[in-house]
Amino acid sequence: MTDDSLLPFDLPAVCRKKVTAAFDGGLISSDGGLVLLREAERRIGLADLLANCLRDRREPALVTHSLAEILRFRMLAIACGYEDADDCDSLRFDPLFKLAVGRAPESGHELCSQPTMSRLENMPSRIEAARMTAALVDIFCRSFPQAPATITLDIDDTCDRVHAHHDTRCFLPIHVYHVASGKPVVVFLRPGKTPSGREVRAVLKHLVRRIRRHWPRTRIVFRGDSHYGRPEAMAWCEDNGVDYIFGLAGNAVLSALAAAVADDLKVRRAEAGAEKMRAFTSFAYAAKSWKRERHIVARLEATIRGFDPRYIVTSLKGGARHLYEDIYCIRGQAENLIKMHKVQLASDRTSCQSPVANQVRLVLHTAAYWLMLGLRDTIPTASPLAKAEFTTLRFWLLKLGARVVEKVARIRIHFASAYPDAALFRMLVGRLATAGP
């Protein structure tokens, strides 16, 4: 049967000339920026590193697509905005996807299909998925040229609504980021409930153990909201030389300890007629569930609408204002990084039946995050794209029309002559290729 999409169709005339179009251009791709992502992936070695965490149970004589090729195809597709494995059925013939994975764009065998990709996502055992997750921490540590003296890691969770349910059922995966560089450390899939103290302690314990394999002398600081200020987690940090700064829910005792400063602030604001005034104070406090006193910082804010106290608990030293405004409040940037991971790379597509397969998906989406971050970090700081979000990078650098010509000894990629960022694109190719293995 004839494919009607290949038949030519007419468009309105221009300058009294007939305009006809057809989907018969041959080896043309709409993802020309894959040549950049290919070099970014080679630079980090993501696919090979994750493939080494898996045991290939297939019959070797029947294998057409290696595990590394399948993983590379999936993370490249996610970075380009194709978050569904179903898209592989069409993208497997795309000349630049084939080239980026390591196959000739015309003479090379097509890439894997959706069933193969879905089998890969469901293939890893629980232990293998844990190895892939731990490999994310290895990738993070290896991204630094040398061990830092101190590193602050932000830990937070985000709502991931369960696929095919329209009520409030959800996962609540934990994300850990290094906000100063924007690098992801690790992502854990977990049930949609507030993490318990034992769970938070387990996450910190495993994460610190993995980091200290690479950086045994680095000082580690964890920063998070009150979900993570659990007595079990804080006690473990104190016993293992790890610092923390966590939010703390208010109560009557904390209000009483900050009452003198709060009353003075309210009076001064009223006398000055100011719309808003802030004050900071610190004191020692021990909740009934704590075995020792800890350092509390109170941020007190009086406005014309009322009084708003906020509290944090920390093992760090310093002034109350410095600890709250200069250290704790920076954690808000972690929410922007989670947004890029979850929304711009669609990591909330955790629709597999198995939680292990959904964790594998989170690993693959985090790998795609590394590709986009590696591309962005190569852009000169003077460029407006140097701090752009991933959707902006995708629009300007990845979604480019390109015609691919394969000859006997050479593959030629033709981009549009009118592409406005051709100079930047050429520079990025040179930088990524030079820095690669």
Side-chain angles (χ1 to χ4, degrees):
M1 186 173 65
T2 303
D3 187 352
D4 291 340
S5 65
L6 300 179
L7 298 176
F9 51 92
D10 295 331
L11 296 171
V14 174
C15 298
R16 291 188 288 184
K17 293 185 178 181
K18 183 179 180 181
V19 178
T20 304
F23 291 98
D24 58 359
L27 294 180
I28 296 177
S29 174
S30 59
D31 296 288
L34 277 167
V35 297
L36 298 177
L37 292 182
R38 171 177 178 263
E39 297 305 322
E41 195 280 326
R42 290 179 62 248
R43 183 177 183 177
I44 305 173
L46 283 168
D48 292 330
L49 184 60
L50 294 177
N52 289 336
C53 300
L54 305 174
R55 182 170 69 90
D56 196 343
R57 300 169 179 83
R58 300 174 295 176
E59 178 63 39
L62 302 178
V63 171
T64 304
H65 312 282
S66 70
L67 292 180
E69 285 183 341
I70 301 173
L71 291 168
R72 187 176 294 114
F73 183 22
R74 186 73 167 109
M75 62 182 70
L76 289 170
I78 294 170
C80 287
Y82 306 104
E83 67 272 11
D84 288 327
D86 290 343
D87 297 319
C88 296
D89 283 339
S90 298
L91 298 177
R92 61 191 301 222
F93 303 104
D94 187 288
L96 284 184
F97 268 101
K98 292 170 67 176
L99 184 146
V101 170
R103 301 196 173 192
E106 183 174 8
S107 61
H109 195 280
E110 65 268 14
L111 302 179
C112 69
S113 61
Q114 175 269 321
T116 302
M117 190 66 70
S118 296
R119 283 193 294 269
L120 172 72
E121 293 177 343
N122 287 273
M123 181 189 73
S125 65
R126 184 181 296 271
I127 293 177
E128 289 172 329
R131 288 175 186 160
M132 296 177 73
T133 305
L136 296 178
V137 183
D138 297 336
I139 293 169
F140 168 73
C141 292
R142 293 172 187 174
S143 69
F144 288 78
Q146 60 186 12
T150 303
I151 192 163
T152 302
L153 303 180
D154 283 271
I155 182 169
D156 204 352
D157 47 62
T158 183
C159 178
D160 178 359
R161 297 188 65 180
V162 175
H163 184 70
H165 289 278
H166 302 286
D167 52 18
T168 56
R169 280 178 281 185
C170 68
F171 298 115
L172 206 65
I174 290 178
H175 291 242
V176 182
Y177 292 90
H178 180 236
V179 166
S181 63
K183 296 176 180 178
V185 183
V186 73
V187 182
F188 297 102
L189 186 73
R190 52 176 308 280
K193 60 181 181 179
T194 303
S196 66
R198 293 180 62 184
E199 185 178 1
V200 175
R201 179 180 61 189
V203 169
L204 300 186
K205 177 181 177 181
H206 289 293
L207 184 54
V208 169
R209 181 183 299 170
R210 195 76 182 189
I211 291 174
R212 283 183 170 163
R213 287 188 180 184
H214 301 269
W215 304 332
R217 295 189 177 125
T218 296
R219 180 191 180 199
I220 302 173
V221 182
F222 282 103
R223 179 169 53 200
D225 60 19
S226 59
H227 285 180
Y228 301 93
R230 306 291 186 177
E232 297 91 340
M234 292 187 288
W236 184 89
C237 288
E238 292 157 356
D239 293 340
N240 290 273
V242 176
D243 287 308
Y244 59 84
I245 180 166
F246 295 132
L248 184 65
N251 57 43
V253 177
L254 292 173
S255 298
L257 291 171
V261 178
D263 292 341
D264 177 69
L265 175 66
K266 294 174 185 177
V267 171
R268 288 190 292 109
R269 190 213 64 81
E271 290 178 344
E275 182 176 349
K276 178 175 69 175
M277 289 185 69
R278 276 188 175 186
F280 297 85
T281 187
S282 61
F283 46 83
Y285 165 77
K288 291 181 179 180
S289 60
W290 299 1
K291 295 182 179 180
R292 52 167 291 179
E293 288 188 336
R294 294 186 169 94
H295 184 52
I296 308 299
V297 172
R299 189 275 284 160
L300 309 173
E301 184 174 276
T303 71
I304 57 175
R305 296 184 178 182
F307 181 68
D308 178 32
R310 299 291 175 91
Y311 304 96
I312 60 174
V313 55
T314 181
S315 62
L316 302 175
K317 307 298 181 183
R321 179 186 291 270
H322 168 70
L323 289 172
Y324 188 87
E325 291 189 337
D326 300 333
I327 298 182
Y328 179 72
C329 286
I330 297 176
R331 63 168 295 275
Q333 176 61 18
E335 297 180 2
N336 294 327
L337 303 181
I338 291 175
K339 181 188 72 173
M340 290 198 295
H341 194 290
K342 175 182 173 181
V343 179
Q344 301 182 21
L345 294 176
S347 65
D348 58 348
R349 300 303 291 266
T350 47
S351 55
C352 294
Q353 184 177 7
S354 164
V356 176
N358 284 324
Q359 175 63 32
V360 172
R361 281 195 174 185
L362 284 180
V363 171
L364 294 175
H365 283 267
T366 305
Y369 186 110
W370 273 107
L371 294 182
M372 298 298 287
L373 186 66
L375 173 58
R376 189 176 70 179
D377 287 347
T378 312
I379 299 174
T381 55
S383 171
L385 296 177
K387 295 184 179 180
E389 294 192 347
F390 293 165
T391 50
T392 303
L393 292 180
R394 186 182 294 136
F395 177 80
W396 285 103
L397 296 177
L398 301 185
K399 292 301 180 181
L400 309 178
R403 182 166 61 91
V404 184
V405 178
E406 179 185 342
K407 298 183 179 179
V408 175
R410 176 174 295 185
I411 298 172
R412 181 70 179 268
I413 304 173
H414 299 268
F415 295 104
S417 302
Y419 176 50
D421 286 316
L424 174 63
F425 195 94
R426 179 190 294 270
M427 179 189 298
L428 295 180
V429 170
R431 287 188 174 187
L432 288 168
T434 301

